[in-house]
Amino acid sequence: MASPSERQHLAAGGGGSPRTGPELLDSVDDAEGLYVAVERCPLCNTTRRRLTCAKCVQSGDFVFFDGRDTERFADKRERLNRLRETQLDFQKQVASVVEGKLAADKLKWKIMSCKMRIEHLKQSICNGNEEIAKNSELLSKSKRYNQDLYIRSQRHQEKKEKIQRRNHKLSAVVEKRNKDLKSRHAELASLRRSHILELTSVIFPLGEVRNVTRDPADVSFENDNAMTSSTVSKLAEARRTTYLSGRWVCDDHNGDTSISIAGPWITLPNNGDYSAYYNWVEEKKTTPGPEMEYNNPAYTISAALCYATQLVNTLSHILNVNLPRKLYNSEFCGENLNRWKFNRAVNKLNSNILYLCFSQHVDLDLLHPLHTLRNLMYLVSPDSENLGR
């Protein structure tokens, strides 16, 4: 083999390129036994050292020329082969050990994962048991609550049956008492009716009185035979028409009849025209003098209205009906009333009479808001079926 200086020279590129294997063998065979300096070594391709033969090179029987290592190349190659075999053995052993370790690690990971799954399952089972315990407790509470409700429902059913039986008994009692009440109402109505009829027949008799005075139109008609039929009809229509409280009122009984109360000498005009009263009052104010005419219409009107007010108040007490307007009979018996106060009192009286008529179901077609005593006659008439209700 070549020396280190020769190896550096080869590495620097001196001496040409290295030869291949077949070329090396041919050159070694050709140079066998030659020791000329111009020959190059087939290994290092240098000429500084003694060459080695091809057989020694092939067999590996050569060493370093400088003596730094006495081990032959063949020994080195054999040791290298042994080391490689040992390395392969070690690699196989390591691979087997590593495979065992990998298998062990896999098993460990599997065991760990199984343990974790077991822990999770245990935790889930524990949570499930707790949930089951809670649900069972709630179920038991619900059962107890339902049982209490069932017991309460049974008690309520018993109470319901008792209440139904009691209601049935009470309905029978109420029906019986309603019948008794109706009979008592009928008795009370008949008693009221008898008292009212007795009151209106004895104390406050009501009747229709026909006037005997002759109308001046009739007298003029008899005196004037040349009067035409149209004039007669107009006069008859004028007799049936009265201007009352700012409007014309038509009355078929205008001036022909009057309604008496508490005697035939105390009457009111049938048409509700009480203007004679406040006309007399106004005339009395303008021309004062002694009151000598006791048969004056103003006295009869005030007396009739006073009796009518007293009768209405008595009827409201008998019939147990509260009147809408408060009116005393003394309002017509005191001092002379002016037009406004008189009309106001008369309107109160008419309102109370109409209210009593409505309460006793008097036929509305028979009533008139201005006919004071005639409405009273319809109210206390024996022909009224609802009198006393």
Side-chain angles (χ1 to χ4, degrees):
M1 294 183 67
S3 62
S5 61
E6 294 172 347
R7 285 197 300 272
Q8 292 176 0
H9 177 72
L10 290 174
S17 61
R19 298 180 180 179
T20 59
E23 294 177 351
L24 178 62
L25 292 177
D26 293 340
S27 63
V28 170
D29 292 336
D30 294 339
E32 185 177 359
L34 295 179
Y35 298 95
V36 184
V38 296
E39 295 292 331
R40 295 179 180 275
C41 179
L43 290 177
C44 62
N45 200 17
T46 60
T47 59
R48 295 181 61 185
R49 293 291 182 182
R50 181 181 176 184
L51 299 175
T52 302
C53 65
K55 292 181 180 179
C56 292
V57 171
Q58 290 181 356
S59 62
D61 189 12
F62 56 89
V63 296
F64 285 97
F65 295 149
D66 55 1
R68 59 182 176 181
D69 191 2
T70 59
E71 188 179 7
R72 296 184 307 157
F73 178 75
D75 297 334
K76 288 182 179 290
R77 185 171 55 188
E78 186 178 358
R79 187 162 58 86
L80 177 61
N81 292 331
R82 287 197 302 270
L83 288 175
R84 286 178 177 175
E85 292 176 359
T86 305
Q87 183 183 5
L88 289 175
D89 293 336
F90 284 158
Q91 287 178 353
K92 290 180 180 179
Q93 292 177 5
V94 169
S96 63
V97 172
V98 168
E99 288 178 359
K101 291 288 289 182
L102 289 175
D105 290 341
K106 288 182 179 179
L107 289 176
K108 285 181 181 179
W109 280 107
K110 286 184 179 180
I111 291 170
M112 189 180 298
S113 63
C114 290
K115 287 182 178 179
M116 292 176 65
R117 290 181 62 188
I118 289 170
E119 291 295 330
H120 291 162
L121 290 174
K122 286 182 179 179
Q123 188 68 26
S124 300
I125 291 171
C126 183
N127 294 334
N129 290 332
E130 292 178 358
E131 192 71 22
I132 290 172
K134 290 181 181 179
N135 292 334
S136 62
E137 186 177 358
L138 291 175
L139 180 62
S140 61
K141 288 182 179 179
S142 299
K143 286 183 178 179
R144 290 195 299 270
Y145 182 70
N146 291 333
Q147 188 175 3
D148 294 339
L149 288 179
Y150 179 74
I151 295 173
R152 289 175 62 186
S153 66
Q154 292 294 327
R155 291 200 298 266
H156 290 165
Q157 185 67 25
E158 293 176 358
K159 289 182 179 180
K160 179 184 175 182
E161 294 176 356
K162 289 181 180 179
I163 291 171
Q164 287 179 350
R165 291 194 297 269
R166 182 174 178 80
N167 289 338
H168 183 68
K169 293 180 180 179
L170 289 177
S171 63
V173 173
V174 168
E175 185 177 0
K176 182 179 178 181
R177 291 189 177 181
N178 283 333
K179 292 180 179 179
D180 295 341
L181 181 63
K182 288 180 180 179
S183 62
R184 293 295 178 87
H185 281 170
E187 293 176 1
L188 180 61
S190 63
L191 184 62
R192 288 173 176 174
R193 184 185 181 89
S194 63
H195 286 175
I196 291 172
L197 294 178
E198 184 178 359
L199 178 67
T200 55
S201 62
V202 177
I203 301 176
F204 298 103
L206 295 171
E208 189 173 357
V209 178
R210 190 168 185 85
N211 296 332
V212 298
T213 60
R214 301 183 65 183
D215 195 286
D218 296 334
V219 176
S220 61
F221 175 74
E222 293 175 356
N223 295 332
D224 190 7
N225 296 324
M227 186 176 295
T228 61
S229 61
S230 61
T231 305
V232 173
S233 62
K234 289 180 180 179
L235 287 174
E237 184 179 0
R239 291 176 60 191
R240 293 192 299 271
T241 306
T242 304
Y243 185 77
L244 182 62
S245 299
R247 63 190 181 94
W248 291 98
V249 178
C250 182
D251 188 7
D252 293 336
H253 303 283
N254 185 19
D256 293 340
T257 59
S258 299
I259 306 298
S260 65
I261 183 171
W265 56 89
I266 303 176
T267 61
L268 283 179
N270 187 35
N271 57 0
D273 182 13
Y274 308 140
S275 59
Y277 177 83
Y278 44 78
N279 289 335
W280 176 80
V281 171
E282 292 175 357
E283 182 180 358
K284 191 68 176 176
K285 287 181 180 179
T286 56
T287 58
E291 298 179 359
M292 300 299 294
E293 298 179 1
Y294 293 101
N295 58 349
N296 193 294
Y299 293 135
T300 59
I301 289 174
S302 61
L305 292 175
C306 179
Y307 286 136
T309 304
Q310 189 174 1
L311 175 60
V312 168
N313 292 331
T314 306
L315 290 176
S316 68
H317 177 71
I318 294 174
L319 297 174
N320 194 19
V321 176
N322 295 324
L323 297 176
R325 311 295 292 273
K326 183 181 289 187
L327 182 66
Y328 300 103
N329 55 347
S330 60
E331 292 192 21
F332 298 102
C333 300
E335 60 183 3
N336 296 330
L337 302 176
N338 57 21
R339 182 189 294 259
W340 182 82
K341 290 183 179 180
F342 181 79
N343 289 333
R344 181 171 175 269
V346 171
N347 290 334
K348 284 184 179 181
L349 178 60
N350 289 331
S351 299
N352 291 337
I353 292 173
L354 290 175
Y355 188 79
L356 285 176
C357 293
F358 297 155
S359 67
Q360 302 304 308
H361 289 182
V362 179
D363 189 5
L364 299 179
D365 297 333
L366 301 176
L367 302 177
H368 193 282
L370 300 179
H371 296 174
T372 305
L373 293 182
R374 184 168 291 278
N375 292 338
L376 268 178
M377 287 181 62
Y378 291 139
L379 173 64
V380 300
S381 174
D383 300 331
S384 179
E385 297 178 357
N386 296 316
L387 181 61
R389 61 181 296 276

